[in-house]
């Protein structure tokens, strides 16, 4: 099993339960992949550097949470939007929702969501609708509106919706630990820091070679990393063609910023009580922020996703922090120097 993220650990556990012998190879020196639990001392709680929420029904994930004896914490609080310098809890798109649904249902041939909006909602009266949907596609789906499928988004929005939003009370890391513990108890072998660089195939066997010179022999190899990571592995010719198909699968990038402060200075702003703030949507460079409400930890998490995230790949950690602070300064009309001091 190549990759010890959620997919790799889950697949390994099921194979071990079926009586197979499984060796898990993970390139990093930690488990979890895009689940990245941070040390409690960093922010005072089980903060998430990667995945944080459970979206919608997600029966498999919720079942694993129950099986591991963990708790679910529903997202509470109010969702605020900042438009033209004013905070609001209303949805400016609501007045067009009925027509939006009608136009989505009328689509028979797929097209990018950006093209859908440009052709069906071109008027100035739909400016906020277009901006809102674009922010949603780029932010929540981490997708490029110029490529994202209208039919797929229609299914998400009209059939499933966003559904219930929860966190795992003990953090996603506890769920990863539970899966890894199961693998260990069932006899699975786990190797961290084992970066696979090549897979060779001969009759009935696979040889997996790692960067450090180690090699493993198996009758099957299952790759569970994201498609972009496949570029670093030399695959057997028979597999290369299938792997190449993955190049056409959209893959969104995200920059997630966790900024800890001395206190919840945002709880009151301009005479407004924002103490129950859960999510904040704005037009700042880092547009989406959320809190840990109802927990009182003075932490704001920024979310910078979609095509724009590609433009900051070369920035240093300090430059990313500066970008986040500048966005908060714009949103809350607060000096950057004060935010930095806090």
């Amino acid at each position: 099993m190549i990759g010890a993220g959620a997919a790799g650990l889950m697949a390994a556990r099921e194979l071990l339960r079926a009586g197979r012998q499984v060796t898990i190879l993970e390139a990093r020196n930690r488990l979890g992949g895009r689940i990245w639990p941070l040390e409690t001392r960093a922010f005072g709680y089980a903060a998430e550097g990667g995945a944080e929420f459970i979206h919608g029904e997600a029966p498999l994930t919720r079942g694993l949470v129950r099986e591991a004896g963990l708790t679910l914490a529903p997202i509470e609080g109010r969702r605020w939007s900042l438009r033209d310098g004013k905070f609001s809890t209303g949805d400016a798109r609501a007045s067009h929702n009925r027509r939006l649904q009608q136009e989505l249902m009328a689509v028979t041939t797929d097209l990018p969501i950006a093209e859908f909006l440009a052709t069906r909602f071109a008027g100035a009266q739909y400016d906020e609708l277009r901006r809102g949907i674009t922010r949603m596609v780029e932010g929540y789906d981490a997708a490029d509106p110029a490529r994202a499928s209208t039919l797929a988004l229609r299914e998400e929005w009209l059939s499933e919706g966003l559904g219930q939003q929860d966190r795992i009370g003990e953090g996603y890391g506890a769920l990863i630990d539970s899966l890894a513990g199961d693998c260990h108890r069932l006899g699975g072998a786990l190797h961290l820091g084992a970066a696979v660089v090549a897979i060779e195939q001969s009759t009935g066997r696979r040889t997996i070679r790692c960067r450090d010179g180690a090699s493993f022999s198996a009758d099957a190899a299952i790759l569970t990393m994201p498609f972009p990571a496949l570029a670093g592995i030399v695959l057997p010719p028979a597999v290369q063609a299938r792997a190449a198909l993955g190049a056409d699968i959209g893959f969104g990038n995200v920059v997630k910023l966790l900024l800890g402060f001395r206190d919840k200075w945002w709880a009151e702003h301009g005479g407004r009580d924002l103490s129950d703030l859960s999510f904040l949507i704005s037009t700042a460079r880092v547009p989406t922020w959320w809190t840990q409400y109802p927990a009182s930890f003075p932490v704001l998490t920024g979310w910078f996703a979609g095509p724009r995230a590609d433009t900051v790949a070369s920035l240093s950690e300090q430059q990313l922090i500066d970008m986040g602070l500048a966005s908060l300064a714009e949103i809350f009309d607060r000096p950057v120097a004060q935010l930095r001091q806090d």
Side-chain angles (χ1 to χ4, degrees):
M1 192 68 60
I2 301 172
L9 291 173
M10 185 67 181
R13 190 185 75 160
E14 296 307 295
L15 287 168
L16 286 163
R17 283 179 168 179
R20 308 304 294 267
Q21 291 182 314
V22 180
T23 297
I24 307 168
L25 305 177
E26 168 56 48
R28 301 184 186 187
N29 287 311
R30 65 173 180 85
L31 304 174
R34 284 171 284 177
I35 291 173
W36 187 4
L38 305 178
E39 293 185 14
T40 301
R41 61 181 176 82
F43 293 97
Y45 66 100
E48 307 281 13
E52 182 166 346
F53 303 102
I54 297 178
H55 301 288
E57 293 183 4
L60 176 61
T61 304
R62 293 178 185 276
L64 288 173
V65 170
R66 291 191 296 270
E67 184 182 334
L70 305 176
T71 57
L72 290 173
I75 303 303
E76 301 180 26
R78 282 194 287 181
R79 182 189 182 101
W80 290 84
S81 297
L82 179 65
R83 292 189 296 272
D84 302 321
K86 297 180 180 179
F87 282 83
S88 170
T89 56
D91 185 353
R93 301 171 292 167
S95 59
H96 302 301
N97 277 348
R98 184 172 181 180
R99 186 182 169 205
L100 175 62
Q101 292 184 14
Q102 292 173 339
E103 293 292 347
L104 283 170
M105 295 307 298
V107 175
T108 56
T109 302
D110 206 359
L111 72 166
I113 191 67
E115 184 179 339
F116 168 82
L117 293 173
T119 55
R120 311 242 181 168
F121 294 93
Q125 70 270 33
Y126 300 119
D127 284 353
E128 186 57 36
L129 176 72
R130 292 194 303 273
R131 283 195 294 267
I133 290 178
T134 299
R135 285 198 300 264
M136 184 69 175
V137 172
E138 291 183 342
Y140 182 80
D141 295 288
D144 183 351
R147 296 188 63 200
S149 159
T150 296
L151 293 181
L153 291 167
R154 179 179 73 184
E155 181 178 358
E156 176 184 307
W157 295 341
L158 301 187
S159 299
E160 302 173 7
L162 299 185
Q164 176 65 42
Q165 310 287 302
D166 295 296
R167 290 184 175 95
I168 299 176
E170 297 80 2
Y172 257 113
L175 190 57
I176 290 296
D177 289 343
S178 176
L179 287 174
D182 287 346
C183 291
H184 177 72
R185 284 189 294 273
L186 291 165
L190 173 63
H191 298 267
L192 296 178
V196 174
V197 294
I199 300 175
E200 300 168 1
Q201 183 171 307
S202 59
T203 305
R205 301 299 291 173
R206 313 288 182 270
T207 300
I208 297 92
R209 302 195 184 280
C210 297
R211 183 175 296 128
D212 62 3
S215 65
F216 300 84
S217 179
D219 57 3
I222 300 177
L223 292 84
T224 66
M225 74 279 288
F227 270 111
L230 284 178
I233 300 177
V234 178
L235 299 171
V239 181
Q240 290 176 5
R242 282 186 290 168
L245 297 175
D248 287 335
I249 296 179
F251 192 91
N253 288 327
V254 170
V255 173
K256 185 179 183 184
L257 302 171
L258 287 83
L259 302 180
F261 296 92
R262 292 175 179 171
D263 54 51
K264 293 174 61 176
W265 52 263
W266 58 86
E268 183 176 345
H269 174 70
R272 287 191 177 275
D273 180 7
L274 301 182
S275 59
D276 63 351
L277 170 67
S278 59
F279 284 85
L280 172 63
I281 309 299
S282 73
T283 57
R285 188 177 185 192
V286 181
T288 303
W289 295 85
W290 63 78
T291 71
Q292 295 298 309
Y293 186 86
S296 60
F297 300 106
V299 177
L300 288 174
T301 299
W303 186 257
F304 187 66
R308 292 185 298 172
D310 300 340
T311 67
V312 298
S314 63
L315 296 187
S316 66
E317 179 178 301
Q318 186 58 54
Q319 288 173 318
L320 291 170
I321 293 172
D322 292 342
M323 182 176 73
L325 292 176
S327 296
L328 289 175
E330 175 186 338
I331 292 169
F332 289 98
D333 191 23
R334 193 176 177 94
V336 171
Q338 182 66 53
L339 290 174
R340 196 182 309 280
Q341 182 177 339
D342 290 341

